Amino acid sequence: MATNDTDMLREQIETIDEQIIDLIATRLEIADELAKAKKSSSQEYWDEKKVNEVIKRYQKLCKEVNITSDEARQIAEMLLKISKERQWHYFE
């Protein structure tokens, strides 16, 4: 593979990374709103049942695009960890 090919592929990855970060930021903003809504309605700030549902949803979605179940779990757990840390601030 020529250097130009690798440069082009790296540029494509950079563009996708920008899109991923934008989507993650949007997801986190919505999770913040969810935390506020849960607090105002006296709900628990974290629901392990929902966590398991999210992980299963990621595994199903990732299977459709050839991402392994373990990779799907890692992606979901990373996003959930960040969401959990952010949501906790609304309940302190």
Side-chain angles (χ1 to χ4, degrees):
M1 184 178 273
T3 302
N4 288 342
D5 292 339
T6 57
D7 289 345
M8 183 185 70
L9 294 170
R10 286 188 176 115
E11 286 176 17
Q12 289 176 354
I13 288 172
E14 288 176 17
T15 299
I16 292 167
D17 286 345
E18 290 174 14
Q19 295 168 353
I20 290 169
I21 294 300
D22 285 344
L23 289 171
I24 291 171
T26 300
R27 188 188 194 287
L28 293 174
E29 288 170 8
I30 294 168
D32 289 348
E33 292 302 315
L34 176 61
K36 292 175 192 174
K38 288 190 290 189
K39 183 171 183 175
S40 70
S41 64
S42 300
Q43 295 180 41
E44 292 292 321
Y45 101 99
W46 202 246
D47 182 345
E48 286 300 321
K49 182 180 174 190
K50 290 290 182 191
V51 167
N52 291 329
E53 289 175 12
V54 170
I55 291 170
K56 286 178 183 174
R57 183 173 67 241
Y58 271 68
Q59 288 173 324
K60 180 182 177 189
L61 291 168
C62 286
K63 184 177 183 180
E64 295 172 4
V65 293
N66 202 27
I67 295 174
T68 70
S69 179
D70 185 54
E71 291 165 338
R73 175 178 291 279
Q74 289 177 55
I75 293 165
E77 287 177 346
M78 182 260 317
L79 290 171
L80 289 165
K81 178 180 183 282
I82 294 167
S83 291
K84 185 176 185 179
E85 290 169 357
R86 288 173 62 112
Q87 287 188 37
W88 174 246
H89 295 290
Y90 292 98
F91 288 83
E92 291 183 303

